[in-house]
């Protein structure tokens, strides 16, 4: 089936993501690293599938745990997505941890600034709740 990621714009254009969800799920089950972010995005957004933040988180964590060499930029992007998802859940310790990874490893100033903002928000929330990061 050609380049499967072409199903993303096709699905957005037609409004039908059945093939995209099926193919991304199949590829995640086959441990294809490129499929995890697509399927996680679908679960996060609720596009073409029931929204499930916990499943999106689990997909990003599975991606990070794959026993293959992953590009550093993909690993950093997964940590950024995890920080965003944990922010939705108000899991401030996890937000801080994943945002710190992004801050320490990104090569892009925009991502570094965003990570610093997330770290500050998380630390402020932890203080409000009477916790500290460590």
């Amino acid at each position: 089936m050609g380049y499967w990621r072409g199903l993303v714009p096709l699905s957005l254009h037609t409004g039908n993501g059945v093939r995209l969800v099926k193919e991304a799920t199949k590829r995640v089950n086959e441990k294809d690293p490129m499929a995890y972010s697509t399927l996680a995005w679908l679960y996060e957004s609720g596009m073409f599938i029931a929204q499930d933040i916990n499943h999106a988180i689990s997909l990003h964590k599975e991606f990070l745990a794959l026993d293959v060499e992953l590009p550093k930029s993909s690993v950093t992007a997964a940590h950024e997505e995890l920080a965003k998802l944990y922010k939705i859940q108000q899991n401030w310790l996890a937000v801080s941890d994943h945002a710190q990874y992004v801050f320490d490893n990104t090569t892009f100033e925009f991502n570094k600034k965003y990570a610093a903002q997330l770290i500050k928000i998380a630390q402020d929330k932890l203080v409000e709740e009477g916790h500290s990061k460590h």
Side-chain angles (χ1 to χ4, degrees):
M1 161 176 149
Y3 190 58
W4 79 273
R5 299 268 321 237
L7 289 172
V8 173
L10 179 65
S11 297
L12 292 172
H13 177 73
T14 64
N16 182 339
V18 173
R19 284 177 54 206
L20 173 60
V21 171
K22 183 178 178 181
E23 188 67 23
T25 301
K26 178 186 125 205
R27 288 177 179 267
V28 163
N29 289 337
E30 295 170 351
K31 307 293 186 215
D32 175 352
M34 298 305 296
Y36 285 85
S37 62
T38 300
L39 192 57
W41 167 68
L42 292 170
Y43 276 105
E44 176 186 352
S45 67
M47 192 171 306
F48 311 124
I49 198 165
Q51 185 180 39
D52 187 340
I53 299 299
N54 287 329
H55 195 65
I57 288 170
S58 116
L59 287 164
H60 285 298
K61 289 169 107 176
E62 283 177 41
F63 168 78
L64 292 172
L66 287 174
D67 192 21
V68 296
E69 187 158 334
L70 300 167
K72 187 174 182 178
S73 61
S74 295
V75 171
T76 304
H79 280 283
E80 185 170 341
E81 288 303 315
L82 283 166
K84 290 178 194 176
L85 292 167
Y86 281 125
K87 182 180 178 216
I88 292 168
Q89 292 187 329
Q90 299 182 5
N91 181 338
W92 305 115
L93 280 174
V95 170
S96 183
D97 288 344
H98 290 286
Q100 188 66 55
Y101 182 93
V102 174
F103 186 86
D104 293 342
N105 291 282
T106 189
T107 57
F108 299 108
E109 194 59 33
F110 173 81
N111 298 89
K112 190 175 279 282
K113 285 180 182 177
Y114 181 65
Q117 290 172 345
L118 287 175
I119 292 165
K120 173 85 169 95
I121 290 167
Q123 289 174 346
D124 289 348
K125 293 291 186 178
L126 287 166
V127 168
E128 279 177 28
E129 294 173 359
H131 303 283
S132 65
K133 185 178 181 303
H134 294 288

